[in-house]
Amino acid sequence: MNNMTTSSWEGFSMMGKQGVDDEVRKGPWTVEEDMRLIRYITVHGEGRWNFLAKAAGLKRSGKSCRLRWVNYLRPDLKRGNITADEERLILDLHARWGNRWSRIAQRLPGRTDNEIKNYWRTRIKKKLHGSGNSCRANQCFENSMSSTSNPNSFQGLNGPQESITPSASDMGGLSEADKNYRRTFHHIEEYLGIEAPMSSSTEKMDIGASTDSNRLLGFEPWTAEPSKSDTMPHDALAADVDSFTALLSEFYSEMAREGTVSSSSMQANSTEAVLKSPNFSNSEALTWPSDHSDVLWNMQDHKFHTLAWSSAP
DNA sequence: AATCTCGTCAACCGCCCATAA
DNA sequence: GTTATGGGCGGTTGACGAGAT
């Protein structure tokens, strides 16, 4: 692997400038790259990733684009902690299939193989090794090392768990990813002059009434008419994407100047702040006051929407 | 306050397989 | 049959934040 040494990061920081344009970029994705990828896939669809990377104007490998889309940008991704039900399912499936993460992920809608793999390595495996009296868990782990069973014989795994209810332990806090984009959201709101203090414990913000903003962000489905249009011609869509990208770029530049957000944090998580999964629980949704709404991406409808524009102060 | 340690997770790598030319 | 290409998978790395010291 091409390690992200200091020099690599310096090179990364030069991205987009003349002289390094021909190089295949690595490292964290920027908002601009995310938007390019989303825009292209929205219009043209997935697949042919190497071609897609070039056509979208991304200096990334096709693999990298696919990974970014599948693991991070896909609109049907589920956010938030792995629930107790999901954990049980992961344990069961891992006991049956071993490290077949993609296969396991197919049974957990909205979860990626990468997410499950990370969860297993960082949480479950630790639990298994740490709790010597957990016969069930240890059995799962041991079985996983030599799984040869017939998946069809396993009961209770026939369908996705549509209703995900956070367990008591899950209610205790948010995942790091969640926290990251909540923080970023907070910075965006601060930048736009919105009062939205984060609570100290969970860093959740107040939930507002049903708003276009929440729908735009994917917190709520569009049930009635959007403010202006929820269907835009491609030209208009592209223009709005550019406006949106420009807005975010401005915001991140400002943050970088102020040192409010670390550059890597912005690069890695910024898109999450505005690209929310439609499956994101409304109870965890943030309120984006409509009088400060801009051009936002509606992940649910795969469209961009325009709300009342209010330029940053 | 400074430093250390650990947990988390995005992103990468290498390998493999399927398909087309 | 061989080669090139695209894509998927599992394993690994390293940045970063939070808590501990």
Side-chain angles (χ1 to χ4, degrees):
Chain A
M1 177 171 151
N2 196 351
N3 294 336
M4 291 186 195
T5 58
T6 302
S7 58
S8 298
W9 280 96
E10 285 168 356
F12 173 79
S13 70
M14 294 291 291
M15 66 115 193
K17 296 182 178 174
Q18 296 300 322
V20 294
D21 280 0
D22 291 339
E23 295 177 10
V24 176
R25 283 186 17 76
K26 295 178 182 177
W29 280 63
T30 64
V31 159
E32 286 81 1
E33 288 178 309
D34 283 340
M35 298 309 293
R36 277 182 185 274
L37 184 57
I38 290 168
R39 175 171 54 182
Y40 188 89
I41 292 176
T42 300
V43 176
H44 298 99
E46 302 178 41
R48 302 175 65 201
W49 292 102
N50 284 334
F51 172 80
L52 184 152
K54 289 185 176 68
L58 291 162
K59 294 173 178 57
R60 294 274 183 173
S61 69
K63 271 189 172 186
S64 181
C65 293
R66 175 185 161 273
L67 219 55
R68 182 65 176 174
W69 176 255
V70 168
N71 287 335
Y72 213 73
L73 298 177
R74 239 173 51 201
D76 58 339
L77 288 180
K78 184 180 293 178
R79 300 295 180 189
N81 289 341
I82 300 283
T83 66
D85 285 344
E86 287 176 313
E87 181 177 311
R88 275 193 294 274
L89 189 56
I90 292 170
L91 275 168
D92 287 338
L93 293 174
H94 189 271
R96 306 298 295 182
W97 299 334
N99 297 351
R100 302 290 302 277
W101 305 117
S102 62
R103 192 173 180 180
I104 294 172
Q106 289 172 7
R107 296 285 191 170
L108 289 103
R111 303 295 186 184
T112 69
D113 55 352
N114 208 33
E115 186 179 13
I116 294 171
K117 179 172 57 182
N118 281 332
Y119 187 76
W120 174 267
R121 294 181 64 85
T122 59
R123 315 273 184 89
I124 299 179
K125 205 168 180 178
K126 186 176 64 181
K127 281 186 193 175
L128 300 189
H129 285 303
S131 60
N133 59 350
S134 175
C135 297
R136 168 72 172 150
N138 281 327
Q139 188 176 14
C140 289
F141 181 72
E142 294 304 325
N143 288 346
S144 73
M145 295 298 106
S146 58
S147 175
T148 57
S149 54
N150 175 13
N152 295 330
S153 66
F154 197 64
Q155 301 300 311
L157 304 174
N158 296 326
Q161 308 268 321
E162 291 297 343
S163 177
I164 303 301
T165 305
S167 66
S169 59
D170 291 322
M171 298 294 281
L174 301 172
S175 70
E176 284 306 307
D178 257 357
K179 290 178 183 174
N180 281 337
Y181 53 69
R182 281 164 196 276
R183 281 186 209 104
T184 310
F185 226 112
H186 181 67
H187 291 310
I188 291 177
E189 294 191 318
E190 281 183 339
Y191 178 71
L192 295 176
I194 300 167
E195 285 285 339
M198 290 194 284
S199 86
S200 57
S201 56
T202 64
E203 301 185 22
K204 292 180 183 177
M205 299 183 199
D206 290 340
I207 306 158
S210 177
T211 64
D212 285 349
S213 308
N214 281 344
R215 283 187 286 272
L216 283 166
L217 294 169
F219 300 150
E220 302 172 23
W222 284 104
T223 53
E225 74 291 342
S227 293
K228 290 185 178 174
S229 71
D230 64 350
T231 304
M232 303 171 69
H234 286 164
D235 287 350
L237 183 148
D240 277 346
V241 174
D242 288 338
S243 301
F244 181 50
T245 303
L247 175 71
L248 284 178
S249 296
E250 181 187 348
F251 164 68
Y252 291 126
S253 298
E254 186 67 23
M255 289 299 102
R257 277 194 297 276
E258 293 177 356
T260 309
V261 181
S262 72
S263 59
S264 59
S265 174
M266 290 191 295
Q267 289 155 2
N269 302 304
S270 54
T271 305
E272 292 291 345
V274 291
L275 303 179
K276 307 292 291 187
S277 164
N279 293 325
F280 200 85
S281 161
N282 191 45
S283 65
E284 296 177 338
L286 308 177
T287 295
W288 185 284
S290 58
D291 58 338
H292 284 86
S293 296
D294 304 298
V295 181
L296 297 174
W297 170 255
N298 179 1
M299 296 299 275
Q300 182 132 1
D301 290 341
H302 299 206
K303 295 184 180 77
F304 278 86
H305 298 269
T306 305
L307 285 187
W309 179 270
S310 173
S311 60

mmCIF file of all heavy atoms in Angstrom, chain A residues 161-176:
data_model
loop_
_atom_site.group_PDB
_atom_site.id
_atom_site.type_symbol
_atom_site.label_atom_id
_atom_site.label_comp_id
_atom_site.label_asym_id
_atom_site.label_seq_id
_atom_site.Cartn_x
_atom_site.Cartn_y
_atom_site.Cartn_z
ATOM 1 N N GLN A 161 -33.986 -7.281 8.304
ATOM 2 C CA GLN A 161 -34.633 -6.780 9.513
ATOM 3 C C GLN A 161 -35.102 -5.370 9.225
ATOM 4 O O GLN A 161 -34.362 -4.416 9.373
ATOM 5 C CB GLN A 161 -33.631 -6.785 10.667
ATOM 6 C CG GLN A 161 -32.943 -8.107 10.848
ATOM 7 C CD GLN A 161 -33.668 -8.990 11.834
ATOM 8 O OE1 GLN A 161 -34.167 -8.510 12.833
ATOM 9 N NE2 GLN A 161 -33.747 -10.261 11.573
ATOM 10 N N GLU A 162 -36.332 -5.287 8.828
ATOM 11 C CA GLU A 162 -36.817 -3.985 8.397
ATOM 12 C C GLU A 162 -36.884 -2.989 9.535
ATOM 13 O O GLU A 162 -36.570 -1.832 9.390
ATOM 14 C CB GLU A 162 -38.200 -4.138 7.768
ATOM 15 C CG GLU A 162 -38.181 -4.881 6.448
ATOM 16 C CD GLU A 162 -37.383 -4.140 5.394
ATOM 17 O OE1 GLU A 162 -37.116 -2.945 5.571
ATOM 18 O OE2 GLU A 162 -37.016 -4.754 4.391
ATOM 19 N N SER A 163 -37.325 -3.479 10.669
ATOM 20 C CA SER A 163 -37.477 -2.563 11.793
ATOM 21 C C SER A 163 -36.284 -2.672 12.707
ATOM 22 O O SER A 163 -36.069 -3.676 13.359
ATOM 23 C CB SER A 163 -38.757 -2.899 12.562
ATOM 24 O OG SER A 163 -38.860 -2.067 13.676
ATOM 25 N N ILE A 164 -35.487 -1.636 12.689
ATOM 26 C CA ILE A 164 -34.293 -1.629 13.514
ATOM 27 C C ILE A 164 -34.537 -0.770 14.731
ATOM 28 O O ILE A 164 -34.663 0.434 14.663
ATOM 29 C CB ILE A 164 -33.091 -1.084 12.739
ATOM 30 C CG1 ILE A 164 -32.887 -1.915 11.482
ATOM 31 C CG2 ILE A 164 -31.859 -1.071 13.595
ATOM 32 C CD1 ILE A 164 -32.637 -3.389 11.734
ATOM 33 N N THR A 165 -34.616 -1.396 15.859
ATOM 34 C CA THR A 165 -34.826 -0.673 17.096
ATOM 35 C C THR A 165 -33.538 -0.652 17.893
ATOM 36 O O THR A 165 -33.024 -1.697 18.248
ATOM 37 C CB THR A 165 -35.922 -1.349 17.939
ATOM 38 O OG1 THR A 165 -37.095 -1.453 17.133
ATOM 39 C CG2 THR A 165 -36.205 -0.559 19.178
ATOM 40 N N PRO A 166 -33.016 0.506 18.145
ATOM 41 C CA PRO A 166 -31.773 0.587 18.896
ATOM 42 C C PRO A 166 -31.911 -0.059 20.258
ATOM 43 O O PRO A 166 -32.905 0.151 20.950
ATOM 44 C CB PRO A 166 -31.524 2.090 19.009
ATOM 45 C CG PRO A 166 -32.325 2.704 17.923
ATOM 46 C CD PRO A 166 -33.511 1.809 17.744
ATOM 47 N N SER A 167 -30.907 -0.805 20.630
ATOM 48 C CA SER A 167 -30.918 -1.396 21.950
ATOM 49 C C SER A 167 -30.522 -0.362 22.976
ATOM 50 O O SER A 167 -30.144 0.751 22.647
ATOM 51 C CB SER A 167 -29.923 -2.550 21.999
ATOM 52 O OG SER A 167 -28.622 -2.029 21.854
ATOM 53 N N ALA A 168 -30.627 -0.750 24.229
ATOM 54 C CA ALA A 168 -30.279 0.175 25.294
ATOM 55 C C ALA A 168 -28.828 0.616 25.167
ATOM 56 O O ALA A 168 -28.498 1.797 25.346
ATOM 57 C CB ALA A 168 -30.513 -0.492 26.643
ATOM 58 N N SER A 169 -27.976 -0.346 24.813
ATOM 59 C CA SER A 169 -26.561 0.010 24.702
ATOM 60 C C SER A 169 -26.328 0.938 23.523
ATOM 61 O O SER A 169 -25.485 1.828 23.570
ATOM 62 C CB SER A 169 -25.728 -1.253 24.537
ATOM 63 O OG SER A 169 -26.129 -1.958 23.385
ATOM 64 N N ASP A 170 -27.112 0.728 22.461
ATOM 65 C CA ASP A 170 -26.934 1.571 21.292
ATOM 66 C C ASP A 170 -27.376 3.001 21.553
ATOM 67 O O ASP A 170 -26.922 3.931 20.901
ATOM 68 C CB ASP A 170 -27.726 1.016 20.115
ATOM 69 C CG ASP A 170 -27.124 -0.274 19.644
ATOM 70 O OD1 ASP A 170 -25.894 -0.384 19.634
ATOM 71 O OD2 ASP A 170 -27.889 -1.184 19.315
ATOM 72 N N MET A 171 -28.298 3.144 22.463
ATOM 73 C CA MET A 171 -28.810 4.474 22.738
ATOM 74 C C MET A 171 -27.785 5.307 23.490
ATOM 75 O O MET A 171 -27.918 6.513 23.583
ATOM 76 C CB MET A 171 -30.095 4.376 23.578
ATOM 77 C CG MET A 171 -31.211 3.657 22.872
ATOM 78 S SD MET A 171 -31.796 4.550 21.443
ATOM 79 C CE MET A 171 -32.817 5.761 22.276
ATOM 80 N N GLY A 172 -26.792 4.670 23.993
ATOM 81 C CA GLY A 172 -25.824 5.376 24.808
ATOM 82 C C GLY A 172 -24.964 6.351 24.039
ATOM 83 O O GLY A 172 -24.430 7.292 24.585
ATOM 84 N N GLY A 173 -24.803 6.142 22.768
ATOM 85 C CA GLY A 173 -23.957 7.029 21.989
ATOM 86 C C GLY A 173 -24.057 6.751 20.525
ATOM 87 O O GLY A 173 -24.629 5.758 20.103
ATOM 88 N N LEU A 174 -23.475 7.610 19.771
ATOM 89 C CA LEU A 174 -23.494 7.475 18.332
ATOM 90 C C LEU A 174 -22.181 6.899 17.867
ATOM 91 O O LEU A 174 -21.187 6.934 18.564
ATOM 92 C CB LEU A 174 -23.712 8.849 17.696
ATOM 93 C CG LEU A 174 -24.997 9.554 18.090
ATOM 94 C CD1 LEU A 174 -24.992 10.968 17.542
ATOM 95 C CD2 LEU A 174 -26.203 8.802 17.583
ATOM 96 N N SER A 175 -22.197 6.388 16.665
ATOM 97 C CA SER A 175 -20.957 5.895 16.090
ATOM 98 C C SER A 175 -20.041 7.069 15.808
ATOM 99 O O SER A 175 -20.476 8.223 15.754
ATOM 100 C CB SER A 175 -21.251 5.157 14.798
ATOM 101 O OG SER A 175 -21.670 6.063 13.802
ATOM 102 N N GLU A 176 -18.787 6.760 15.626
ATOM 103 C CA GLU A 176 -17.831 7.828 15.340
ATOM 104 C C GLU A 176 -18.188 8.529 14.039
ATOM 105 O O GLU A 176 -18.069 9.743 13.920
ATOM 106 C CB GLU A 176 -16.414 7.250 15.262
ATOM 107 C CG GLU A 176 -15.832 6.928 16.612
ATOM 108 C CD GLU A 176 -15.859 8.125 17.561
ATOM 109 O OE1 GLU A 176 -15.355 9.188 17.169
ATOM 110 O OE2 GLU A 176 -16.384 7.998 18.661
#
